[in-house]
Amino acid sequence: MNDVRQFLGSLDYVFTYFRHATGRPPTSTLKESVKVLIHNTSHLHSYILNEQQPFGNIQVKYVINLYELIEELVFDEIMKNYVKQELTTDVCINEEEKENIIGQFICSTYMLDNIPQQLKDPRVWLSVLKRLIIRVITANIDLNVPMQIYMQRTDLWNEDLIQYLDFININDNILVRHTYVILEGIEAKLALNNKLNTDNKTNNESENLRDWCQAKNEDINRLTTLTTTEAATTGTTITGNNKKKKLRVD
């Protein structure tokens, strides 16, 4: 994981050069672009320039996607355990206020009726909240300002979603310090939904199996009844080896 963090730091450094670079084709690789733009590469992580590492061969147009993917990995594996105390302790007065804040955020984001379909996936919002914590809250900022201010930052969003930022309107009483509480709340709701879906699937499979067994039993009972009726009518009986024997009638 240390390698991943160092690689992320190297990408941060590379991005400072990319901001001022012009004329680089988007199909050129990360490694090729770095060799052209940065003269001293000795301090960069080997993942970028090593021929045997896959990251250096990624096309420049996909580098930001790679960065965001690694960023989330770092958050889930490391930073989640070191979130500022101001975001985890005494954020809300009580559990009722906490649930209210989470509910308000959800209702004004991915559960909002008129929000674009692209923003209805709660996982999109989880990614943005993680980026908000990593890129903004880790700095020394005022946590008691409306979250809406930062939700308008284009660098927190995937490029294909930036066009929908005007649809986002989060209540002003939802503050930056509520970010981690909301993140945990959405994750908990998703986990519960997944469990319910799994339970429903299991129940449906059990019901299907029970229906199948019941149908088979009905078929067996029907055949048994028909066979018994036939035997009584013809005066025959069925033995274990399926041979018919004439019954003696006195």
Side-chain angles (χ1 to χ4, degrees):
M1 186 55 68
N2 283 336
D3 276 339
V4 174
R5 293 176 64 187
Q6 292 169 13
F7 176 59
L8 204 61
S10 291
L11 283 181
D12 275 327
Y13 181 78
V14 169
F15 286 159
T16 62
Y17 284 84
F18 279 4
R19 290 191 188 100
H20 306 290
T22 57
R24 294 299 303 163
T27 53
S28 64
T29 66
L30 173 62
K31 178 174 57 183
E32 292 169 348
S33 298
V34 166
K35 286 182 176 179
V36 171
L37 297 172
I38 305 176
H39 299 297
N40 182 10
T41 59
S42 60
H43 58 288
L44 294 180
H45 197 280
S46 60
Y47 283 178
I48 292 179
L49 297 174
N50 192 324
E51 295 286 345
Q52 297 180 346
Q53 296 293 344
F55 296 131
N57 294 319
I58 290 178
Q59 293 181 1
V60 170
K61 61 182 178 180
Y62 299 124
V63 170
I64 291 180
N65 300 89
L66 172 65
Y67 181 92
E68 291 172 343
L69 180 64
I70 296 175
E71 194 175 41
E72 285 196 46
L73 175 64
V74 170
F75 179 88
D76 291 336
E77 297 297 326
I78 301 175
M79 291 192 65
K80 198 170 187 178
N81 300 319
Y82 300 97
V83 175
K84 282 185 175 183
Q85 186 176 0
E86 299 95 313
L87 299 176
T88 58
T89 306
D90 299 329
V91 175
C92 299
I93 298 175
N94 50 41
E95 192 67 22
E96 182 180 357
E97 183 189 13
K98 176 181 173 181
E99 291 300 322
N100 184 40
I101 289 292
I102 295 170
Q104 284 187 53
F105 180 88
I106 291 174
C107 290
S108 61
T109 54
Y110 63 86
M111 290 297 290
L112 190 66
D113 289 338
N114 63 345
I115 205 160
Q117 189 64 38
Q118 291 82 350
L119 298 180
K120 286 186 176 293
D121 187 346
R123 293 171 298 181
V124 168
W125 295 91
L126 287 178
S127 296
V128 172
L129 292 172
K130 290 175 184 178
R131 291 171 197 164
L132 178 58
I133 293 174
I134 293 174
R135 302 179 189 178
V136 179
I137 297 179
T138 50
N140 188 22
I141 66 165
D142 184 1
L143 300 178
N144 293 310
V145 297
M147 186 188 293
Q148 173 70 15
I149 295 173
Y150 289 97
M151 281 297 177
Q152 296 296 319
R153 282 181 46 158
T154 57
D155 64 304
L156 296 180
W157 295 87
N158 291 354
E159 187 176 356
D160 58 326
L161 297 176
I162 293 176
Q163 59 183 308
Y164 304 114
L165 295 189
D166 289 340
F167 289 91
I168 300 173
N169 186 22
I170 299 171
N171 297 343
D172 285 344
N173 66 306
I174 298 178
L175 308 177
V176 173
R177 64 186 173 91
H178 295 132
T179 303
Y180 189 68
V181 165
I182 294 171
L183 173 66
E184 283 194 316
I186 295 175
E187 287 180 335
K189 290 182 183 300
L190 287 180
L192 179 60
N193 288 339
N194 289 337
K195 183 179 184 303
L196 291 175
N197 290 336
T198 301
D199 290 344
N200 288 337
K201 181 180 179 182
T202 301
N203 290 337
N204 289 337
E205 290 175 349
S206 298
E207 289 177 3
N208 292 337
L209 179 60
R210 185 172 63 249
D211 292 343
W212 182 85
C213 291
Q214 183 177 351
K216 288 299 179 183
N217 285 334
E218 290 174 354
D219 290 342
I220 292 172
N221 291 336
R222 185 168 59 254
L223 289 174
T224 302
T225 301
L226 290 174
T227 303
T228 303
T229 303
E230 180 185 357
T233 303
T234 60
T236 61
T237 187
I238 305 298
T239 63
N241 58 6
N242 292 328
K243 293 181 179 179
K244 291 184 179 180
K245 291 185 179 180
K246 190 71 175 179
L247 293 176
R248 179 177 177 179
V249 180
D250 294 329

